[in-house]
Amino acid sequence: MTPSAPRSGGAAGGQGYLLDNAQAEAGTRFDALGALFDPSTFRHFEHLGVAPGWRCWEVGAGGTSVVDWLADRVGPAGRVVATDIDTSWAAGAVRPGVEVLRHDVGADAPPGDGFDLIHARLVLVHVADRDRALAAMAGALRPGGRLLLEDADPAAQPLICLDEYGPEQALANKLRTGFRKLLAARGADLAYGRRLPRLLREAGLVDVAADAYFPIASPACDVLEAATVRQVHGKLVAAGLATDEEIDRHLANVDAGRLDLSTSPMISAWGRRP
């Protein structure tokens, strides 16, 4: 799975981020990821107490939905800094109190400090120096500030069709296996999500907790899968992981709406700087 999107700096493996923001399908993927995961993300923001006047850093913003929610919540007395290595999609969120910056979280210094909230979704799993990035984010919090990291764990649940009862579902899972191989070849850590609670504690944060969420049989799962497969079509074929005919057949199956697609678990972990 994806991700979230993510999208922010230092794509692992030295070949660039597999799901490039510059491709036409990126906007469709951002919309689908928002439909699938924004409700869970916003629930966590509510739990963490995001309030008027807060200073927030949205890492690997991708699209605008999370930035817009934060800007509405912190109000004119607050500030939201949204960063990404490609800001072409996030630029639409610019307004008073919102700054969008080109930034590589795996290599660049944080765009300030003293943040009340720092959030990254579907980002660090793709970042080469993810340990450095996490430490930088934790260090950019004010005392009492909150860090919320959300990342997929495809190794925990590798199937896109949990109910593999026929050849259409088997083909979908074959292509998902190929997609995971492409991600791993780029250096993505496919088991990163499960490590987040421990990594937050090791970064010195306290009151660490986590949960997991993954939707099944949502229309947005179909939209996300079709956009993702179209985005990596050529790479799957070039790597010998699928044929053009298999991909075309799978996309037709997705369009037919019979596959009951799922996503990888999204692990959300949060902690507070003492």
Side-chain angles (χ1 to χ4, degrees), residues 44-208:
H44 289 107
F45 287 163
E46 296 274 7
H47 171 73
L48 294 174
V50 179
W54 275 33
R55 299 180 69 248
C56 304
W57 175 17
E58 177 64 15
V59 181
T64 63
S65 62
V66 174
V67 180
D68 287 339
W69 191 98
L70 289 171
D72 289 343
R73 178 55 60 96
V74 304
R79 179 181 178 229
V80 179
V81 179
T83 62
D84 206 316
I85 55 172
D86 180 345
T87 60
S88 55
W89 298 96
V94 172
R95 58 166 126 162
V98 175
E99 185 177 12
V100 176
L101 301 174
R102 189 183 185 284
H103 178 269
D104 183 340
V105 71
D108 299 334
D113 55 20
F115 290 103
D116 299 283
L117 172 76
I118 299 175
H119 171 247
R121 186 175 75 191
L122 296 173
V123 173
L124 293 186
V125 66
H126 300 288
V127 173
D129 197 350
R130 54 184 68 91
D131 291 341
R132 179 190 183 280
L134 196 159
M137 286 188 278
L141 293 168
R142 67 164 177 82
R146 274 75 166 176
L147 176 60
L148 171 62
L149 298 180
E150 301 184 288
D151 252 308
D153 197 316
Q157 194 294 94
L159 302 178
I160 193 167
C161 285
L162 299 176
D163 183 18
E164 188 181 306
Y165 64 88
E168 293 179 345
Q169 292 72 29
L171 176 59
N173 285 333
K174 174 185 176 178
L175 294 187
R176 179 55 38 153
T177 298
F179 176 61
R180 289 191 295 112
K181 288 180 179 178
L182 291 178
L183 286 173
R186 301 290 178 112
D189 183 347
L190 302 184
Y192 189 66
R194 71 191 69 179
R195 301 188 180 104
L196 290 175
R198 170 173 58 85
L199 295 174
L200 291 182
R201 290 194 300 271
E202 291 176 353
L205 302 187
V206 298
D207 299 333
V208 172

